[in-house]
Amino acid sequence: MLTSCCDHCFRIDFCSSKFSSGLKELADMCPNIKKLDISSCYDLVKDNNNLLNIPSKLLTELNLSGLPLMSSAIVKQALTRLQSLTVIGLSGVPCIATDKFIIEEICDEFGHQLKALDLSMNPSLPDTFLRPIAHHCACLEKLNLSFCSSITLESLRRFFEDDSKVQHLSYLALMQVKHVAFEMLELCVSKCYNLQSIYLDGLIEQVDDRIVECIANTCPKLARVGLKGCTKITTFVENSELCIVLENF
């Protein structure tokens, strides 16, 4: 089922084998497509080579989340030919946790323009694979690393210490990133002063009253914060200039 949100935005839902040639068809019919979401369309990529049929001329947003993509070579080739990408979703894509060059090439190719990157739901993703984000991503606004349970964020230290880069970040999701140290988490929240949303659900050992106070004092634009399961929190800082919406706490 092909859903059009507008002339330049498409989501492909409930894909079946009948739509196995859909990306080639879509490329022929809609050469000016700007946003494409094919997340969890398993049949569409039974042959990973179908990714090479993604329309490339004007595409700025691409979501491949939940796809069983195992060919890292095809993924790299498919992504790097899309020269206008600013939003990339790779949540739960297996090969990004086994080939460090996928994230490296994404960041090298698009880092100067990349606004949103979703790498969540990749529990075996090594922390070192994140280093290219710190080196190349200069204007990142949204970063989702939730359920990447092997990472420590140490490879992103340079990113969070660089005000010229971190000033753009408005959304940060770190749910169940349980190996991050308290000091590293404190650095993240203390430097991201333009955050509008932050999700720290499941960080039982790291999130306490000090982190909450740091968030309250640092992030005046914050509208949403997820703290579900953070049982070390005993009080909430009162700040008349800050309205924190506690989601699922």
Side-chain angles (χ1 to χ4, degrees):
M1 177 179 176
L2 183 62
T3 303
S4 173
C5 303
C6 64
D7 290 342
H8 304 296
C9 180
F10 287 88
R11 173 176 172 80
I12 301 175
D13 294 301
F14 309 114
C15 287
S16 67
S17 57
K18 294 179 181 179
F19 206 72
S20 60
S21 61
L23 291 178
K24 178 65 168 66
E25 181 182 344
L26 185 63
D28 294 338
M29 293 172 54
C30 310
N32 294 325
I33 189 172
K34 293 183 179 179
K35 301 178 182 180
L36 181 61
D37 185 343
I38 56 172
S39 54
S40 300
C41 293
Y42 310 116
D43 287 341
L44 197 62
V45 292
K46 281 185 176 178
D47 180 356
N48 284 188
N49 285 289
N50 281 334
L51 288 179
L52 300 178
N53 292 321
I54 293 176
S56 62
K57 185 178 180 182
L58 299 174
L59 197 68
T60 60
E61 299 186 18
L62 177 63
N63 190 359
L64 302 177
S65 297
L67 296 180
L69 302 174
M70 303 305 297
S71 174
S72 58
I74 294 297
V75 172
K76 285 184 286 189
Q77 185 179 351
L79 289 174
T80 54
R81 59 188 283 275
L82 305 174
Q83 296 297 310
S84 300
L85 283 183
T86 61
V87 176
I88 301 175
L90 294 169
S91 175
V93 175
C95 62
I96 71 166
T98 58
D99 186 346
K100 69 176 183 178
F101 294 109
I102 295 179
I103 296 176
E104 185 173 308
E105 290 194 25
I106 288 173
C107 294
D108 183 49
E109 187 74 27
F110 305 111
H112 66 288
Q113 65 193 42
L114 195 62
K115 294 182 178 180
L117 181 61
D118 185 354
L119 301 175
S120 62
M121 302 298 294
N122 285 291
S124 60
L125 179 69
D127 191 76
T128 53
F129 282 22
L130 304 178
R131 197 165 292 147
I133 297 175
H135 291 168
H136 300 291
C137 294
C139 56
L140 203 59
E141 297 174 7
K142 296 183 178 181
L143 180 61
N144 190 348
L145 297 172
S146 294
F147 299 96
C148 293
S149 51
S150 297
I151 67 175
T152 64
L153 298 182
E154 282 296 330
S155 293
L156 290 179
R157 181 178 290 274
R158 286 181 56 184
F159 175 81
F160 287 109
E161 290 177 339
D162 189 335
D163 287 341
S164 67
K165 293 179 179 179
V166 80
Q167 66 174 325
H168 302 286
L169 203 63
S170 62
Y171 176 101
L172 180 63
L174 300 173
M175 292 184 286
Q176 298 291 337
V177 181
K178 295 184 176 181
H179 291 295
V180 61
F182 174 87
E183 179 270 335
M184 187 67 222
L185 183 61
E186 187 178 38
L187 172 66
C188 294
V189 298
S190 66
K191 300 290 284 186
C192 298
Y193 50 86
N194 282 323
L195 281 180
Q196 298 176 27
S197 302
I198 184 169
Y199 297 93
L200 304 176
D201 308 68
L203 301 189
I204 300 171
E205 297 299 322
Q206 300 89 343
V207 176
D208 58 15
D209 291 349
R210 291 171 295 173
I211 293 294
V212 174
E213 183 173 5
C214 186
I215 292 172
N217 292 332
T218 305
C219 309
K221 299 178 182 178
L222 198 65
R224 290 178 172 83
V225 53
L227 298 170
K228 184 177 181 181
C230 298
T231 54
K232 283 189 174 182
I233 300 173
T234 60
T235 60
F236 291 105
V237 177
E238 294 183 5
N239 186 330
S240 59
E241 298 180 357
L242 176 64
C243 178
I244 297 181
V245 180
L246 294 177
E247 294 194 345
N248 300 320
F249 180 69

